[in-house]
Amino acid sequence: MFSYQQQKDIGNPVVLREIMDQLGLDGAAFLKALEAGTYRSEVDRDWEAKAELGIQGIPTYRIHGEEIRGYHTPQEWRTIILDQSEKTMAGMVCTSEGCGPAAE
């Protein structure tokens, strides 16, 4: 379970380092990069792109024009993906030669 679900301050670099360590990542290197601003320009570009794309929150995913925002459990993602798959396959027919629009 992620720390924000556990009411921990993920704005605190020490908490973020602990999360990295718990995930088996190099928490010390993460903290060093965070403090040095190593990836700041990339983050700033992404933040600016958010406005250009009309995205209201991060993370946001777009699937077939629909926005899926925020954190989702694995079960919620399963439901989202199955729902999108059904929409994608509506009106399609699959044969041994592949999939395509159903003949009218």
Side-chain angles (χ1 to χ4, degrees):
M1 186 179 309
F2 293 98
S3 292
Y4 66 86
Q5 292 177 303
Q6 299 170 352
Q7 308 271 319
K8 292 184 180 179
D9 180 6
I10 61 171
N12 180 339
V14 174
V15 171
L16 291 174
R17 179 186 176 162
E18 290 172 3
I19 293 169
M20 294 297 118
D21 289 336
Q22 290 171 7
L23 293 172
L25 303 171
D26 188 343
F30 171 81
L31 190 57
K32 183 178 177 181
L34 184 64
E35 290 171 346
T38 303
Y39 301 102
R40 184 67 189 187
S41 63
E42 289 90 340
V43 171
D44 288 343
R45 274 197 307 273
D46 288 348
W47 195 256
E48 291 168 9
K50 172 184 85 82
E52 293 170 15
L53 294 169
I55 295 172
Q56 301 299 313
I58 297 174
T60 297
Y61 306 89
R62 281 199 179 141
I63 304 174
H64 299 289
E66 284 187 48
E67 286 190 3
I68 291 59
R69 296 183 194 156
Y71 170 79
H72 296 279
T73 65
Q75 182 58 40
E76 290 168 333
W77 274 115
R78 182 179 190 282
T79 300
I80 290 167
I81 291 168
L82 288 173
D83 180 56
Q84 291 298 325
S85 296
E86 286 178 16
K87 290 177 185 177
T88 299
M89 295 305 293
M92 301 286 278
V93 173
C94 295
T95 67
S96 60
E97 296 177 18
C99 297
E104 303 218 3

